Amino acid sequence: MARFYEQHGRRPGRTAGLAAAVAMAAGSAVMLAAPAAHAEVVDVNYQCKTPIGNKGAVSPIDIKSTADGGAYKLVMSFQKGVSSSPVELGKGAMKPSALIKLGGAESGTVPVAGPPNDKAIPANTPIKISDLSGTYTPKGSGKVTFTAATLTIKALGTTTTCTPSNDPKPSLTLDVKGSGGSGGASGSAGASAAGGGSSGGQLPQTGPADSAIALGTLGGTVLLAGAAGALWLTRRHQRV
């Protein structure tokens, strides 16, 4: 049996070693492709102070992120309405904005804002909040949580403020690496949320900039390199 392996240039130990190398490369690819973000839909119990009294409603909140250079574009989505109006709100009459609370390695808030309603909202019906967007720039490094905070609805010269009352869990967790600068929120969405300016910014098309995609590509490269090395060693032993 030993003479057979010598004639064919292969030994059991070397074969097992090559298989282990390929397996390790595959494992490295899986580890490198692991996402650096965690998101989940969280129920938020908003208690709203309106010009005609207090109202409350629970809405599932979803916060997503897209890496954009050294910053992150955030999108806060409401799956249910959280307030209503005793009169019809015509197209463009309602302007929403909100704050997202930071936790973990960061503190403070990120302002997000959305465009006015694109169609009329009938009286005494739930007000559908459009997606709110803004920009977050890390100051430090580590795991940062993003939790729904105060929602503000401006309509017909009035302001309705809605505050979470159930201490909601974070909707998003990111593993970030900051540049050590001033950080915080930036862009037109932040200015719009603070001053109720023009329509909220829409997310630009940033392409496949997400870190998980980049790491997955790197992991695939490691896997291919490991397999190529194993094939080269096998052919070399066969020639010998």
Side-chain angles (χ1 to χ4, degrees):
M1 183 64 70
R3 181 176 299 174
F4 172 82
Y5 286 119
E6 290 177 359
Q7 291 176 349
H8 290 78
R10 290 179 290 180
R11 294 178 183 272
R14 291 180 179 177
T15 302
L18 293 175
V22 173
M24 288 178 63
S28 299
V30 173
M31 291 179 63
L32 288 171
H38 172 73
E40 62 178 309
V41 178
V42 176
D43 287 340
V44 179
N45 187 349
Y46 279 105
Q47 296 300 311
C48 304
K49 295 185 180 299
T50 78
I52 59 171
N54 297 335
K55 295 180 179 291
V58 175
S59 176
I61 300 296
D62 180 26
I63 300 177
K64 289 185 171 64
S65 67
T66 302
D68 184 16
Y72 293 85
K73 298 292 185 181
L74 302 179
V75 175
M76 182 178 184
S77 301
F78 293 75
Q79 297 186 7
K80 290 183 179 180
V82 298
S83 187
S84 61
S85 171
V87 298
E88 179 179 286
L89 298 178
K91 179 180 178 181
M94 185 271 295
K95 181 70 169 65
S97 62
L99 295 176
I100 297 176
K101 182 174 67 175
L102 302 177
E106 294 259 33
S107 61
T109 58
V110 177
V112 290
N117 54 306
D118 59 358
K119 59 184 177 180
I121 302 174
N124 301 313
T125 60
I127 297 176
K128 177 65 173 72
I129 306 298
S130 60
D131 287 351
L132 311 181
S133 61
T135 303
Y136 161 69
T137 303
K139 292 182 293 184
S141 301
K143 291 189 179 297
V144 178
T145 61
F146 300 78
T147 306
T150 304
L151 167 69
T152 301
I153 302 173
K154 293 187 176 183
L156 303 178
T158 67
T159 299
T160 294
T161 302
C162 303
T163 305
S165 63
N166 61 332
D167 191 22
K169 299 185 301 182
S171 296
L172 174 68
T173 301
L174 288 179
D175 193 356
V176 305
K177 185 174 182 180
S179 60
S182 57
S186 62
S188 60
S192 189
S198 59
S199 62
Q202 297 296 315
L203 287 181
Q205 298 297 324
T206 58
D210 189 85
S211 58
I213 297 177
L215 289 176
T217 303
L218 177 59
T221 302
V222 173
L223 175 59
L224 292 175
L231 181 61
W232 180 81
L233 288 174
T234 301
R235 290 180 174 176
R236 179 185 178 190
H237 289 309
Q238 289 177 346
R239 290 198 299 272
V240 173

